[in-house]
Amino acid sequence: MPEARLSDVLPLAKTAMAATKVGDLRDPATAIGPMVSARQYDRVQRYIRLGIEAGATLVAGGEGHPDGLGGYFVRPTLFTDVTNEMTIAREEIFGPVLCILTYRDEDEAIAIANDTDYGLSSYVFSSDPAHARAIAARLQTGRVVINGAPHDPLAPFGGYKQSGIGREYGVFGLEAFLEAKAVLGVGVRHSHGGRTRFHAPGCLRRPRDLCRAARHGARRCDAANGRLWRRRIDHDGDVDGVRFWPDLVA
Amino acid sequence: MRIVERIYIDGVFVKPHGTEMFDLFDPARGEVIGQVRLANAEDARRAIQAAKRALPSYASTGKAERLELLRNLHDAVLSRGADLEEATILEYGAPVARARWTARYAAESFLNAAKTLEAYSFTRPAGGSEVVMEPVGVAGLITPWNANAGFICNKLAYALAAGCTAVIKPSEMSALQTEIVTEALHAAGAAPGLFNIVTGRGEVVGAELTTSPDIAKISFTGSTAVGKAIMKAAADTVKRVTLELGGKSPSLILEDADLEAAVRMAITAGFQNSG
C-alpha cells in the first residue's frame, strides 16, 4: 500500500482483523479453521517467530493458540514494518499470516510484487478500472483479481514462474489433456495457376468449382472461413450468373 | 475411530495390498479420529493397468456420451454434498461456510467441464490441413489436502471431458473425504476403469504414476518442491505435466482505492481457506 496512507490503513486493518472470526467451525460466520496438521501448525508458528525476529511489528495475532482454542488453531496474524527481503514476505506460509509492505510509487509497488520466484495470483484494488487494468498488465501472475472479484471457474488458473506449468479450468484445462494431431493431405487437392494446394476438408466439394470460385475473387478456403468465403463471393457481384456457391460451402 | 481400508480400482472397491496404517486427525482438537490403510506400488500398478484397459473404448466416445457422464457425475457428487461437507469440517477443519462451498464446487466442476466440452471443437483447420485434438492417454492426477474433493473432481472432470481415463492419488490426509467422493463417483455408474482412486504416499503411489510408461500425463497440485521432483521423475518418459504449485500472491492497494473496502477484501482474500 502507499507509504503515505499507512496511518489511515492501520486502524482499518486492526478493525478487519478483530472482525475475523476464528474457532467454532459450525458457526457460519467463522472465517478461519485450524491448520490441517501438527506439522503445518509448527510451520506457521515458525514463520510468526521469524517475522518477529526480523523486526516486523505485530498489528494483530502472534505466536501460540487463540484464546480458548487448542488443536492446530493459530492466531490470525498481521505484520507491518515488513520489507520484501524478510522470509515472511518471500516464502509461502500456508496459514493466516499477512504482511503489510509500503511503496513510494507504483513502479516500486510493481517491483515488490514481481520480485519473487512465484507468480500464481495477485490482487489489485483501485476505484478506476483503467488504472487497475494498467497495473494488471505489469504483474507477472497467472491471475490478477481486481477489487476482490469472485472466483471464475472457466477462466484459466495456474502460475507464472515457479508457481507452475500450464493452466486448469475451461478450454485451457481441457487442452491440458489433449494432443494436437495435424493431418496433412486430407483436404481437396487442387491445381490452380500453376500451383498445387490442399484445401481444408469440408470446405469445397468439387475442385473444379474451386477454380471457378478463384476466378471470381475467392481467396480464402478453409472450413472455419466457409461463411466468410461465401460472403466475399456475394460481395463481388453476380459471379457471371453462375450460382454455384451454395454447393461449394460445406 | 473410522477405519478406511478401501481403494477403488476398475470399478470396484478393493482392499489395498499396502499394509501401512496412517492416522487421521481432527485438527480442531488435535486428536486421532481414524486410520487409513495406504496403497502401495502394486496397487498403483493395478490401477494404471485398469485405466489403460479402459482407454481405447472411452477415448473413442463422442461428445454426447461424455456430456451425459459428466452430468451424472455432477448429480452423484451433489447428492453426497451434506456428507462431504461434514467430512471436510471434521477431517480438514474447514469452517462450515467454506466446507459447504467446496462440496458444491466439487460437484459443479463436472458441469463446468461439460460446458467447456459442449462448446469445444476437436477439429480445426491449419493451413490446408486438419488438426485433430486427441486425448493424451491415461492421466495421473495427484491432489493435495487443502481442497481435496474440489481438486479430485476438477481434474477428473476435464480429463474425462478430453477422453482420457485416470488414476487419482489424493492426499493420504484426506481419506475420509476421498471415500465419500469415491462412493459418489462410483454410484454414477461409469464404465469400470475410467477412473481409479488410490490413496497412498506420494513417494510410493505418486512415484509409480510419475515413472510409469503407461501414464501419459501428470496433473499435480501441491508444493513447488514436490512439483519439481515430479517434473524430474516424469522427464524419463517425457510425460506432459500440468503443475499448480506454491504462491505468494500480493495485494496491491493503489492510491485511488476505497481503503476501507480494499483492506477488508485483501485480508479476506489472504485468509481464504484458512490462509
Side-chain angles (χ1 to χ4, degrees):
Chain A
M1 62 182 51
E3 194 176 65
R5 308 297 298 275
L6 185 62
S7 56
D8 299 327
V9 161
L10 283 177
L12 292 171
K14 274 184 185 154
T15 307
M17 290 297 293
T20 302
K21 226 171 155 339
V22 55
D24 183 3
L25 300 180
R26 305 285 166 180
D27 181 346
T30 298
I32 298 179
M35 301 299 94
V36 73
S37 63
R39 188 174 159 215
Q40 205 61 26
Y41 174 87
D42 292 340
R43 179 186 156 90
V44 174
Q45 294 300 319
R46 177 179 160 263
Y47 278 114
I48 295 174
R49 219 159 35 239
L50 285 175
I52 295 166
E53 284 168 12
T57 306
L58 283 167
V59 178
E63 285 183 82
H65 289 94
D67 287 344
L69 292 171
Y72 309 142
F73 281 101
V74 301
R75 298 170 71 192
T77 297
L78 178 64
F79 282 108
T80 187
D81 302 321
V82 178
T83 65
N84 210 29
E85 290 70 45
M86 292 182 190
T87 305
I88 50 169
R90 303 205 74 80
E91 295 183 10
E92 183 174 42
I93 296 175
F94 235 86
V97 179
L98 293 176
C99 303
I100 297 175
L101 288 85
T102 58
Y103 60 82
R104 282 179 295 273
D105 56 42
E106 280 179 2
D107 285 344
E108 190 185 12
I110 300 281
I112 292 170
N114 287 338
D115 175 23
T116 166
D117 289 335
Y118 292 120
L120 194 57
S121 294
S122 55
Y123 300 81
V124 176
F125 296 92
S126 166
S127 54
D128 174 4
H131 187 195
R133 198 182 264 246
I135 296 294
R138 299 174 64 190
L139 291 169
Q140 295 160 358
T141 60
R143 271 193 174 187
V144 183
V145 180
I146 293 172
N147 290 332
H151 174 61
D152 184 343
L154 293 179
F157 181 67
Y160 276 40
K161 299 189 273 184
Q162 292 188 31
S163 283
I165 292 180
R167 296 292 181 269
E168 297 192 80
Y169 303 149
V171 171
F172 290 85
L174 182 63
E175 292 194 333
F177 291 102
L178 295 170
E179 287 276 17
K181 177 187 281 176
V183 186
L184 281 66
V186 293
V188 180
R189 192 186 159 113
H190 151 69
S191 295
H192 183 79
R195 284 191 296 168
T196 299
R197 295 179 194 163
F198 284 94
H199 290 268
C203 179
L204 296 172
R205 291 189 185 141
R206 292 169 297 183
R208 181 170 42 106
D209 291 333
L210 179 67
C211 295
R212 294 166 76 186
R215 276 204 302 279
H216 293 289
R219 291 188 191 88
R220 304 289 295 272
C221 177
D222 61 50
N225 285 314
R227 281 170 183 281
L228 184 76
W229 186 86
R230 187 163 70 177
R231 268 205 304 277
R232 181 184 290 267
I233 294 191
D234 276 350
H235 209 68
D236 283 349
D238 68 354
V239 203
D240 291 340
V242 181
R243 297 186 189 190
F244 57 81
W245 55 264
D247 299 330
L248 300 184
V249 181
Chain B
M1 283 281 278
R2 292 279 311 281
I3 307 291
V4 177
E5 287 194 289
R6 301 188 302 169
I7 50 176
Y8 186 71
I9 296 178
D10 214 9
V12 290
F13 286 91
V14 294
K15 190 170 178 176
H17 291 78
T19 53
E20 182 186 353
M21 298 303 287
F22 180 86
D23 286 339
L24 302 170
F25 285 83
D26 168 1
R29 294 192 175 78
E31 292 166 2
V32 175
I33 50 167
Q35 283 193 318
V36 55
R37 181 186 289 270
L38 298 182
N40 66 12
E42 171 64 17
D43 297 309
R45 284 192 288 272
R46 287 176 185 234
I48 294 167
Q49 290 314 306
K52 187 183 176 186
R53 282 193 301 274
L55 182 68
S57 68
Y58 184 67
S60 64
T61 54
K63 255 190 199 183
E65 205 171 317
R66 292 182 205 167
L67 285 172
E68 193 192 337
L69 172 65
L70 292 170
R71 286 173 190 138
N72 290 342
L73 292 170
H74 162 263
D75 295 348
V77 174
L78 191 67
S79 74
R80 296 295 302 275
D83 296 335
L84 196 49
E85 182 184 314
E86 196 54 40
T88 308
I89 294 171
L90 178 67
E91 183 184 45
Y92 176 54
V96 63
R98 175 78 192 180
R100 191 163 297 165
W101 185 84
T102 52
R104 203 182 54 237
Y105 185 72
E108 281 173 5
S109 299
F110 292 104
L111 293 188
N112 289 325
K115 204 183 287 178
T116 305
L117 172 61
E118 205 162 17
Y120 188 74
S121 172
F122 284 87
T123 61
R124 71 186 72 154
S129 302
E130 186 176 65
V131 177
V132 187
M133 300 302 285
E134 297 190 338
V136 67
V138 178
L141 313 177
I142 304 177
T143 62
W145 43 260
N146 67 329
N148 177 65
F151 284 122
I152 291 175
C153 291
N154 191 70
K155 286 184 195 293
L156 176 62
Y158 281 96
L160 291 174
C164 296
T165 60
V167 177
I168 305 169
K169 191 216 86 70
S171 167
E172 60 275 26
M173 290 165 68
S174 311
L176 301 181
Q177 301 157 74
T178 297
E179 182 157 72
I180 292 165
V181 175
T182 309
E183 285 170 0
L185 296 173
H186 172 69
L194 288 197
F195 47 86
N196 305 271
I197 303 180
V198 183
T199 297
R201 288 190 181 276
E203 58 270 33
V204 179
V205 175
E208 196 64 33
L209 294 178
T210 48
T211 54
S212 168
D214 292 324
I215 295 281
K217 163 93 191 184
I218 294 285
S219 178
F220 167 76
T221 299
S223 72
T224 294
V226 174
K228 288 176 183 178
I230 285 177
M231 202 170 163
K232 283 178 188 157
D236 276 340
T237 44
V238 196
K239 291 190 199 327
R240 288 84 187 99
V241 292
T242 296
L243 304 173
E244 200 264 276
L245 310 176
K248 186 75 179 174
S249 301
S251 286
L252 282 82
I253 299 179
L254 305 183
E255 284 279 4
D256 56 9
D258 169 352
L259 271 192
E260 195 275 328
V263 168
R264 191 166 30 80
M265 287 192 286
I267 287 176
T268 304
F271 287 167
Q272 223 172 63
N273 202 7
S274 298

